[in-house]
Amino acid sequence: DAGVTQSPTHLIKTRGQHVTLRCSPISGHKSVSWYQQVLGQGPQFIFQYYEKEERGRGNFPDRFSARQFPNYSSELNVNALLLGDSALYLCASSSSSLRYRGFYNEQFFGPGTRLTVL
Amino acid sequence: DAKTTQPNSMESNEEEPVHLPCNHSTISGTDYIHWYRQLPSQGPEYVIHGLTSNVNNRMASLAIAEDRKSSTLILHRATLRDAAVYYCIPMGAGAQKLVFGQGTRLTINP
């Protein structure tokens, strides 16, 4: 079975440009989350979407936005790129919200998109 | 979110047991303790989770202190493939996100 897929794998942009990153969750998973991982640090939560609705947002500026499509795939958009946006962007899917009826739903991560802003 | 403290790095030898500690003294009574690991050039992957009692699965064991202020992830026989950054993550009821700290970078020597 295919795991979480992300595209592109690598991307180079210049300051001020915008970028769109894509994620396809595991088949049957309805929840997608986005994380940013700066070199040498743990991933930081950006967004969670469940059933096409935003369910959580991390401490990121409004330049970051996301959406989820009817097939549960997702896009992360970043406008007006800054040098500090250079990072590995990770997408994770789970079958339901993270804690559904008290049961934990394991999150499955994709390999990430490496974004470099010059 | 409960604060966690983990050693920055640890080193062990192949086929030996590894004990990875985590302090989470501010954990609440309903927080589960989750462990994820991140292999080089990959996204994090789930390892194990527990609430109060010790837990075992095919990957590892999780030993939780009686006061729940600390836990230990146990790899019974480390392999080279276990070299990764290991993250201890308390998660409260209704949480919608994983809060990663710095984690412990585990090196396995052949």
Side-chain angles (χ1 to χ4, degrees), chain B residues 18-32:
Chain B
V18 180
H19 291 233
L20 295 159
C22 179
N23 286 324
H24 32 75
S25 58
T26 60
I27 197 170
S28 76
T30 56
D31 285 356
Y32 280 76

Side-chain angles (χ1 to χ4, degrees), chain A residues 41-104:
Chain A
Q41 298 184 17
Q44 299 298 306
F45 173 75
I46 310 176
F47 288 109
Q48 191 214 8
Y49 277 78
Y50 177 66
E51 287 280 18
K52 302 180 287 293
E53 292 187 3
E54 183 183 305
R55 293 298 184 94
R57 173 185 285 254
N59 188 24
F60 280 80
D62 292 343
R63 300 184 295 107
F64 288 77
S65 63
R67 56 180 175 167
Q68 187 176 33
F69 298 99
N71 66 354
Y72 303 110
S73 66
S74 178
E75 282 183 355
L76 175 70
N77 294 283
V78 186
N79 293 324
L81 285 167
L82 303 174
L83 295 179
D85 295 331
S86 295
L88 180 67
Y89 288 85
L90 295 160
C91 172
S93 77
S94 64
S95 58
S96 141
S97 290
L98 215 56
R99 286 286 293 271
Y100 178 64
R101 295 180 185 172
F103 294 99
Y104 173 69

